[in-house]
Amino acid sequence: MEYADLLIEDHGKVAVIRLNRPKAMNALNDNMMNELGDALYKFDADPGVNVIVLTGSEKVFAAGADIAAMANYTYADTYPGNYIGRNWEHILNVRKPVVGVVAGYALGGGCELAMMCDFLIAADSARFGQPEIKVGVTPGAGGTQRLPRTIGKAKAMDMLLTSRMIDAAEAERTGLVSRIFPAEQLMEEALKVAATIAEMPVTVAMAIKDSVNRAFETTLTEGVRYERRFFHAAFGTPAQKEGMAAFLAKRKANFEGM
């Protein structure tokens, strides 16, 4: 795959998508988001890929939406054209696990894109923020919705209304980030995490992802019923047969192709 604003890396069952607009601090524009959607869908359909890693550079994940591109937009440009909605949310349709790996700044749309990943691994250099209020707009890609669901109303209101950034340590304490590594070890360690997931049965990983996401859209009772359907269905799959046979035989399971 060749893209103007992305770099692609092949790590076996792990595919790495790297945002790459260095002169613009990886500001998110239409071309980058169109390319990202294309890459995500291709890897989601690739039977040789079990996990997708989304990252930026060592200095910045993404500094936000491209303000230079949208400064002169009008309501007639944004609403009828479904700005953001038309091409920013492809990541939400990806069924395989997507791990976000953040070093440096993840601000505005960059923070919102990071929150669309299934979980985040951060460098100790990472900084997260939603500074849209400083340029006269609200967040438009889930900042007022995913952020409070993740870190709670008080912390989210603080970040959104004051535009303050939080560091990696605070992001981990509040549940925005799963793990933190020294910046110089970030990709090495993140790829180890992704490789661990990639060795699991991808069909089960997809079902777990589907079930967890359902937890945010429905009641607990309905969510547990949804989970249990996957649990029952697992007993008709090769992954269950191999996994339990390996456990009883005290050997490592081989989930290749499962």
Side-chain angles (χ1 to χ4, degrees):
M1 300 180 196
E2 298 256 345
Y3 297 105
D5 295 327
L6 304 176
L7 297 175
I8 303 300
E9 299 173 16
D10 179 358
H11 294 269
K13 294 180 182 179
V14 178
V16 175
I17 302 174
R18 191 180 292 274
L19 306 177
N20 186 46
R21 294 188 70 210
K23 293 181 180 179
M25 294 189 70
N26 288 347
L28 310 175
N29 64 4
D30 271 346
N31 186 70
M32 176 182 276
M33 300 314 285
N34 287 335
E35 290 186 347
L36 179 58
D38 183 79
L40 287 167
Y41 287 141
K42 284 178 177 175
F43 287 132
D44 204 30
D46 186 342
V49 172
N50 285 6
V51 180
I52 301 167
V53 168
L54 178 60
T55 190
S57 71
E58 295 177 358
K59 295 181 178 179
V60 60
F61 177 77
D66 192 337
I67 295 177
M70 67 179 174
N72 293 322
Y73 283 178
T74 66
Y75 179 77
D77 296 317
T78 57
Y79 181 64
N82 194 23
Y83 177 54
I84 292 181
R86 66 177 176 252
N87 58 358
W88 281 51
E89 297 176 325
H90 294 303
I91 190 171
L92 302 178
N93 299 322
V94 174
R95 300 176 69 199
K96 292 175 182 174
V98 180
V99 180
V101 179
V102 178
Y105 296 105
L107 305 178
C111 185
E112 290 168 312
L113 177 61
M115 288 190 289
M116 293 184 204
C117 297
D118 294 316
F119 67 92
L120 296 179
I121 297 172
D124 51 12
S125 65
R127 300 292 183 271
F128 299 86
Q130 298 284 164
E132 287 90 343
I133 194 170
K134 293 176 72 174
V135 294
V137 295
T138 67
T144 67
Q145 302 302 304
R146 292 189 180 89
L147 192 62
R149 282 171 167 79
T150 303
I151 69 175
K153 178 183 175 181
K155 282 283 187 183
M157 281 288 198
D158 183 2
M159 291 178 64
L160 291 160
L161 294 176
T162 68
S163 79
R164 83 176 182 93
M165 289 185 286
I166 62 173
D167 62 16
E170 186 171 359
E172 184 185 36
R173 287 198 305 271
T174 56
L176 184 60
V177 163
S178 173
R179 309 191 197 188
I180 300 173
F181 294 106
E184 62 275 13
Q185 299 173 20
L186 177 64
M187 281 307 297
E188 178 186 356
E189 296 297 333
L191 287 172
K192 288 179 183 178
V193 174
T196 297
I197 300 170
E199 291 303 314
M200 306 297 178
V202 66
T203 52
V204 180
M206 292 163 67
I208 289 172
K209 173 174 176 171
D210 194 356
S211 295
V212 172
N213 287 335
R214 183 58 63 100
F216 292 91
E217 305 292 340
T218 189
T219 65
L220 175 60
T221 298
E222 287 303 314
V224 171
R225 286 175 181 167
Y226 192 77
E227 173 193 80
R228 195 153 296 138
R229 292 190 196 105
F230 278 121
F231 174 71
H232 291 159
F235 285 83
T237 67
Q240 177 268 331
K241 298 297 182 285
E242 168 62 13
M244 292 192 178
F247 177 85
L248 293 174
K250 298 182 179 179
R251 62 174 173 81
K252 182 179 179 180
N254 179 10
F255 292 119
E256 190 69 35
M258 300 181 191

